[in-house]
Amino acid sequence: MNLPVYYYVLGTPIGVLGLIRWATWLIRRIPAVLYKPIVNNYRLPMSIVVPTYQEDPVIFAAAIESWLANRVEEVILVIDSSDKTCQEIARRYPVTVVITDVPGKRDALRKGWRAARTELVALVDSDTIWAPDVAAEVCKPFADPRIGGVGTRQSVYGTKGFLARITDMFLDHRYFDENASQSLLGQAVSCLSGRTAIYRRQLLLEIEAEFMQESFWGVPCLSGDDKRLTTLVLEHGHLTYMQRTAVVWSTFPSKWRIFFKQRVRWARNTWRSDMRALSRPWVWRHPFLAYTMIDKGLAGFTVLLGPIFMATALIAQEWLIAAILLAWWQISRAAKFLPHIMRRPSSFFFVLGYVVVSWIMALIKIHALMTIRHQKWGTRQVAVENGQVVRTDGAGGGDEFEEDETVPLRMVTHAGRAA
């Protein structure tokens, strides 16, 4: 087949880059296959801390019941003073309720772990449902005194449709690839997801000032609390681990508009955290963690070469080249998603959809990098104005707070008592 010169000009570097990308994936994948969760009988007392703001009542009640079923020592719900519905739901259960006027998730987390009485504290989102053995499983890595934080494995709860299936694929890729390899090589997971992350309480008290005062290029940070906590744990000389046998379920956006805003926020948080980390000495004591941060940053750019080459083939009406490239994406991505496809075989037919969404996410990451100083929640009625985190117009809503330290705690109540 006689191909135009530009195919060799484009195809050769893309082919070489493809080999490099596969090699970088194998560097993660091989240790990920060797990962094993910790197995022992170690157990410590645990408190659950949950910032709560206008959560779906049905999901909130189901989540509370799942936490109590784990027989933890206490469940502490830090509920916004305006959220009467969630306060009423909380009164039905034997939980501790902290009422706050502060419109910030970080302050709510801090109030929660200060109120806790146990050695371990689980920071949990209000829409996250636990399996019956989560509390028992997440304690096991803490048998190693070097471990400061432990993460769980997330799955999609409730929502259906294309976005739910794609999100489920992204999650399995994260927990069977990235987090698994980071846990095995160095016990340094880059981000313990805020859906459920467990920390030593004493360590949270030690790092809370740095956590609350985080800023980036002079602008206070109002999101990315889970990434910040994980980074501080590692920076202070402790280790982080994923216990994949601890399974939790959370809700995720089913609408594209909310999906985009959420991903932009997450991408900005990742850029800020990773750029800061790579500029400091501590991260180079975890060489595999530094490698994955750099690789993740570069991947957002290199993945876009694929659609460029496909567009070139279509414009030139080189249908065979386009068909080969399409088949390659289907087969190669399916191979990378084998653990997920073994769990949900029908996801094989969503692989090309995943590929397209990965291109969209790459563009989102580039946009996030270009707007990295922008501090707005996107899906919440909170933003940074004149260096302060404030509520914006509108009632707000959702599963998370934003940061503002100007309003004091108003009252603390216990379920069943007058608020």
Side-chain angles (χ1 to χ4, degrees):
M1 181 187 300
N2 294 321
L3 296 175
V5 174
Y6 63 80
Y7 271 92
Y8 295 99
V9 174
L10 289 175
T12 300
I14 289 176
V16 172
L17 181 61
L19 290 175
I20 293 173
R21 293 305 306 159
W22 266 88
T24 58
W25 175 73
L26 286 173
I27 291 173
R28 294 196 315 271
R29 186 60 194 153
I30 292 173
V33 172
L34 299 176
Y35 159 87
K36 292 182 180 179
I38 303 298
V39 178
N40 58 38
N41 295 318
Y42 192 73
R43 185 73 187 257
L44 287 174
M46 181 186 301
S47 302
I48 294 178
V49 169
V50 187
T52 307
Y53 181 51
Q54 296 187 1
E55 187 56 76
D56 178 275
V58 175
I59 293 176
F60 186 44
I64 293 174
E65 291 171 9
S66 75
W67 306 327
L68 293 173
N70 272 263
R71 300 183 182 279
V72 295
E73 274 60 37
E74 58 182 346
V75 175
I76 302 171
L77 307 178
V78 185
I79 306 179
D80 189 87
S81 59
S82 66
D83 191 350
K84 304 304 180 183
T85 299
C86 287
Q87 292 177 38
E88 181 59 35
I89 292 171
R91 291 190 182 94
R92 305 174 192 167
Y93 300 98
V95 299
T96 300
V97 177
V98 177
I99 306 298
T100 179
D101 284 333
V102 179
K105 182 179 180 182
R106 295 195 182 200
D107 187 78
L109 290 171
R110 178 175 62 174
K111 283 184 172 68
W113 71 56
R114 283 182 173 180
R117 303 187 305 271
T118 57
E119 185 172 344
L120 296 183
V121 175
L123 306 180
V124 184
D125 277 355
S126 56
D127 66 339
T128 300
I129 296 174
W130 282 18
D133 60 348
V134 169
E137 289 298 317
V138 295
C139 285
K140 295 176 180 180
F142 286 104
D144 183 343
R146 299 173 301 168
I147 297 292
V150 172
T152 58
R153 175 190 167 191
Q154 297 177 54
S155 290
V156 177
Y157 175 80
T159 54
K160 298 180 180 179
F162 177 76
L163 272 181
R165 294 299 297 267
I166 296 301
T167 300
D168 200 32
M169 295 172 74
F170 272 109
L171 289 175
D172 271 2
H173 181 67
R174 178 181 183 182
Y175 294 108
F176 283 88
D177 189 301
E178 179 181 341
N179 284 11
S181 59
Q182 290 175 343
S183 293
L184 183 76
L185 295 181
Q187 294 184 323
V189 177
S190 60
C191 181
L192 302 177
S193 170
R195 305 285 182 170
T196 293
I198 297 83
Y199 300 93
R200 297 187 189 274
R201 180 175 178 271
Q202 185 57 42
L203 180 55
L204 290 173
L205 294 173
E206 290 174 10
I207 64 177
E208 73 170 32
E210 294 172 87
F211 173 64
M212 296 299 299
Q213 297 165 11
E214 182 191 10
S215 63
F216 187 83
W217 292 352
V219 180
C221 295
L222 62 84
S223 61
D225 47 275
D226 50 2
K227 186 80 168 174
R228 180 59 173 164
L229 282 172
T230 308
T231 299
L232 287 172
V233 167
L234 293 168
E235 190 171 357
H236 280 247
H238 300 268
L239 302 176
T240 56
Y241 198 84
M242 175 195 65
Q243 184 73 346
R244 203 164 61 200
T245 49
V247 182
V248 304
W249 294 267
S250 296
T251 59
F252 287 85
S254 58
K255 296 180 180 179
W256 283 99
R257 183 179 63 85
I258 299 175
F259 175 84
F260 290 147
K261 290 184 176 182
Q262 183 187 69
R263 292 289 171 168
V264 169
R265 185 178 76 246
W266 288 356
R268 287 190 186 120
N269 293 335
T270 298
W271 281 118
R272 292 171 191 138
S273 179
D274 289 356
M275 289 170 62
R276 182 192 290 119
L278 290 169
S279 69
R280 296 181 178 177
W282 72 265
V283 77
W284 302 102
R285 295 194 294 269
H286 303 279
F288 187 75
L289 175 62
Y291 162 78
T292 56
M293 286 181 176
I294 295 171
D295 178 61
K296 195 170 185 178
L298 293 176
F301 298 93
T302 59
V303 72
L304 292 175
L305 294 177
I308 292 173
F309 193 62
M310 171 63 86
T312 303
L314 293 175
I315 292 171
Q317 297 184 3
E318 296 288 352
W319 311 120
L320 180 59
I321 298 295
I324 291 173
L325 187 55
L326 199 66
W328 170 247
W329 285 335
Q330 175 69 41
I331 296 170
S332 63
R333 296 305 190 278
K336 290 183 177 182
F337 278 101
L338 189 58
H340 174 81
I341 291 174
M342 290 177 64
R343 180 171 72 87
R344 300 187 72 176
S346 61
S347 290
F348 179 82
F349 301 103
F350 286 83
V351 168
L352 291 180
Y354 171 89
V355 171
V356 174
V357 174
S358 69
W359 298 337
I360 296 172
M361 290 182 61
L363 293 173
I364 287 174
K365 289 178 181 178
I366 294 173
H367 168 70
L369 180 60
M370 297 299 102
T371 58
I372 193 169
R373 294 186 76 247
H374 186 63
Q375 286 287 350
K376 187 175 182 180
W377 196 270
T379 56
R380 308 286 181 259
Q381 302 296 330
V382 173
V384 173
E385 296 180 359
N386 299 320
Q388 298 293 324
V389 183
V390 298
R391 292 194 192 275
T392 57
D393 292 338
D399 59 352
E400 299 193 79
F401 288 82
E402 292 70 19
E403 183 180 341
D404 186 330
E405 296 188 73
T406 61
V407 183
L409 172 67
R410 197 164 75 179
M411 67 182 76
V412 178
T413 71
H414 290 272
R417 300 179 185 176

